[in-house]
Amino acid sequence: HTMRARSKSPRRSSGGARARKSSPGKVNNRSPGSQYRTNVVHVEELRENSRPVRYECTSTGIISNPTRILTSKEAAESYASISHSEDLAQRPASSAIAAVVFGWLYKIFLPEGYPRSVSSDYLPYQIWDTIQAFCSTVTGILASKSALAGLGVGNVEARVGAALYFAIVKRNIGKVSRIAFTTLKGSDLDNNAKTWRVVADVLNDLASALELLAPWLCVAGSDCSEQWHYSLLVIAAEVFRSVVGVAGGASRAALTQHFAVKDNFGDVNAKDGSQEMFVEIVGSFVGLQLSHMEGKGSVFAFALFTLFHIAANVQACRAVALLTLNRQRAHILCSHFLLNRAVRTPAQVAAEESVAYFGGSGVRGTRICMGATLPAIAAACDVPSTIRKSARANYLVGETTTSGALSMRREILVGFHVDATSEDFLRGYMHAFMLAKGGFSTEQVVRKVDQLLDILPAHGWRLDAAHVGPGTTRLSWDQDQAV
């Protein structure tokens, strides 16, 4: 019986070889009473942190051995048996250890499915963001040393009650400042995320600088918290840090939303937090070593790391190519389109975009007012006539000119219908900007805006979100007739 079983094996093997030789790309699947041929499809399975696995698939299952077709259940069991350890066993010991280490680093610090689960500008941004986080941690340690000295650490004359009272007052002033800043600038944080990210880090450095220098203003041997000039500087630093908390957090969330292309905002945000925590741990050890420096050496180290911090922040923001339009990006797109009918991609616009944009129409002497009221628009244009010419658009545009002592000032007003969408906001703002540039009639501007918006999605732009500050006032009119 054993001899008979052994004698059959070569015949099955040779038969399988003949099948592959006689019909390449086809597989013979024999079943009782029938024989047919089926196409073979080669599929590569891309595994995380491992080499691709190549399979041959037919209409009846996955071929693991060219002489046998596996069922779906058998294919799943075969896949489970192919482990990462088998792949590592074929490598040298040093290479296997490195693969394991890098695999764990990927799992800890990078979003699941990287790089397919994030946008293409994620890695350059994270590199610069890591550098700035390291520098910020070092400067924070140096500033903390001076702040503790100012609170009386190491001073036998300092009173605990006075230091506690001052710390509570300082913290409450910071909270009030946080509420005030959110009220005034909360709606602009999404519109200009890059700008506010840089502003937040500059204010953070300024707060650290005030904390570093404040103890030097104290009289030797006295309680710093009882001296008004020290208190003023430290409270100003707390106000700046409150703004940093709001502006930095909101702008970081907006950038993270851009990176999360697979609806994985939570994972990308969590991994970004893990990266920052690890960098802060490393930076704290470096900061502790530098904290032993005194006098000019400490100030020099602080200034050096502050410069690196600001430079890395600027480079990190410039590396991000946002796909949504704000006013500045709309200016760049419209200017190039009017000049030579060229449409810039998000990456090209990011290269021209300034990280220090604080508003403006992009045209000297002209102001664009979005979300204007009806009385203001009625004073600037013939509303019934404008509605008739609007071709059922969900916005109205009017223009006024006022003369000043030295120059003329134009104001272009844009009002939006209650049914206006994000694309209508973009359409209205681009209309106003092209009108401000001059040289075109209203009909020409409408045609150019329509042409530009039609081709923007093909160049990678999203029109489902508009960060142009459309205001909150909305109008209602019958689009079938002027009323």
Side-chain angles (χ1 to χ4, degrees):
H1 177 73
T2 304
M3 293 296 293
R4 214 168 25 247
R6 290 177 178 172
S7 65
K8 289 181 180 179
S9 178
R11 285 199 295 273
R12 282 202 304 271
S13 174
S14 61
R18 284 196 299 272
R20 289 195 303 275
K21 183 176 181 181
S22 61
S23 56
K26 306 286 185 178
V27 174
N28 290 338
N29 185 18
R30 302 170 186 244
S31 62
S34 66
Q35 179 176 352
Y36 57 88
R37 293 143 66 92
T38 181
N39 291 330
V40 174
V41 178
H42 297 280
V43 180
E44 282 193 352
E45 182 181 86
L46 303 178
R47 300 187 190 179
E48 189 176 6
N49 309 325
S50 181
R51 293 179 297 181
V53 179
R54 187 177 179 85
Y55 291 99
E56 293 181 357
C57 300
T58 72
S59 59
T60 56
I62 300 177
I63 303 176
S64 176
N65 186 325
T67 63
R68 180 165 178 262
I69 300 177
L70 301 181
T71 64
S72 298
K73 181 179 180 181
E74 291 173 328
E77 294 173 351
S78 175
Y79 168 79
S81 66
I82 303 174
S83 63
H84 187 54
S85 59
E86 293 177 352
D87 185 42
L88 296 178
Q90 301 175 3
R91 306 181 185 180
S94 58
S95 177
I97 295 174
V100 171
V101 171
F102 279 108
W104 275 103
L105 291 178
Y106 266 68
K107 189 174 183 63
I108 295 172
F109 296 116
L110 294 176
E112 184 177 354
Y114 174 85
R116 297 184 299 277
S117 60
V118 292
S119 59
S120 58
D121 50 3
Y122 176 81
L123 182 59
Y125 169 83
Q126 289 300 141
I127 292 174
W128 288 111
D129 188 55
T130 298
I131 296 174
Q132 71 84 18
F134 174 80
C135 295
S136 178
T137 303
V138 174
T139 56
I141 293 292
L142 296 176
S144 296
K145 177 187 175 182
S146 295
L148 292 174
L151 290 175
V153 176
N155 183 7
V156 295
E157 300 295 331
R159 294 182 298 170
V160 176
L164 178 61
Y165 176 79
F166 177 72
I168 293 175
V169 171
K170 180 184 70 169
R171 185 178 303 173
N172 287 334
I173 291 177
K175 291 178 179 179
V176 172
S177 302
R178 183 186 184 100
I179 295 173
F181 176 77
T182 303
T183 303
L184 294 174
K185 290 296 183 180
S187 60
D188 192 51
L189 298 177
D190 281 323
N191 298 338
N192 300 295
K194 291 185 179 182
T195 296
W196 284 112
R197 177 63 198 276
V198 174
V199 168
D201 285 292
V202 171
L203 289 179
N204 183 65
D205 289 335
L206 183 57
S208 297
L210 292 178
E211 290 179 344
L212 181 71
L213 298 176
W216 290 11
L217 301 178
C218 296
V219 178
S222 62
D223 189 351
C224 290
S225 61
E226 296 180 352
Q227 301 182 29
W228 68 268
H229 44 270
Y230 169 84
S231 301
L232 186 63
L233 289 181
V234 173
I235 289 175
E238 185 68 20
V239 171
F240 291 153
R241 290 202 189 280
S242 300
V243 175
V244 170
V246 177
S251 57
R252 181 182 289 272
L255 296 178
T256 303
Q257 186 65 55
H258 161 73
F259 297 133
V261 298
K262 299 296 184 182
D263 293 329
N264 55 341
F265 175 86
D267 185 27
V268 174
N269 189 52
K271 295 303 172 58
D272 180 70
S274 296
Q275 296 171 24
E276 187 166 357
M277 288 181 185
F278 178 77
V279 173
E280 287 178 354
I281 292 173
V282 177
S284 63
F285 285 109
V286 176
L288 285 174
Q289 297 300 317
L290 295 177
S291 65
H292 298 295
M293 303 173 65
E294 300 289 344
K296 295 182 179 179
S298 177
V299 174
F300 175 78
F302 179 87
L304 182 64
F305 278 96
T306 297
L307 290 177
F308 285 144
H309 178 228
I310 295 176
N313 260 293
V314 172
Q315 291 301 320
C317 290
R318 290 183 64 85
V320 179
L322 294 175
L323 308 182
T324 55
L325 289 171
N326 65 354
R327 294 195 177 196
Q328 183 183 192
R329 291 188 283 276
H331 297 166
I332 297 172
L333 277 174
C334 291
S335 297
H336 283 286
F337 187 75
L338 292 175
L339 183 64
N340 50 21
R341 298 187 63 82
V343 179
R344 294 295 206 209
T345 64
Q348 292 172 328
V349 171
E352 300 182 38
E353 189 177 8
S354 171
V355 296
Y357 174 76
F358 297 98
S361 66
V363 180
R364 185 184 297 274
T366 301
R367 176 176 177 265
I368 297 177
C369 177
M370 301 284 282
T373 62
L374 182 59
I377 296 177
C381 68
D382 182 355
V383 173
S385 176
T386 303
I387 292 177
R388 292 192 197 97
K389 296 177 181 178
S390 64
R392 297 179 180 272
N394 283 330
Y395 67 91
L396 299 175
V397 177
E399 179 181 355
T400 61
T401 303
T402 57
S403 57
L406 300 176
S407 62
M408 301 285 289
R409 181 175 179 83
R410 297 172 65 197
E411 186 173 35
I412 300 178
L413 308 171
V414 186
F416 294 102
H417 193 270
V418 291
D419 296 330
T421 63
S422 295
E423 186 171 340
D424 293 319
F425 299 150
L426 290 174
R427 192 181 301 273
Y429 187 78
M430 289 181 173
H431 184 145
F433 176 77
M434 291 186 184
L435 202 61
K437 296 286 284 186
F440 304 99
S441 65
T442 300
E443 291 76 12
Q444 290 175 320
V445 168
V446 170
R447 284 198 302 270
K448 289 182 179 295
V449 170
D450 290 340
Q451 293 170 1
L452 179 57
L453 286 176
D454 286 343
I455 58 180
L456 281 182
H459 289 77
W461 292 101
R462 289 174 47 197
L463 304 182
D464 59 338
H467 300 300
V468 292
T472 57
T473 302
R474 296 293 177 265
L475 310 176
S476 179
W477 66 84
D478 188 349
Q479 295 178 317
D480 293 327
Q481 58 181 354
V483 294

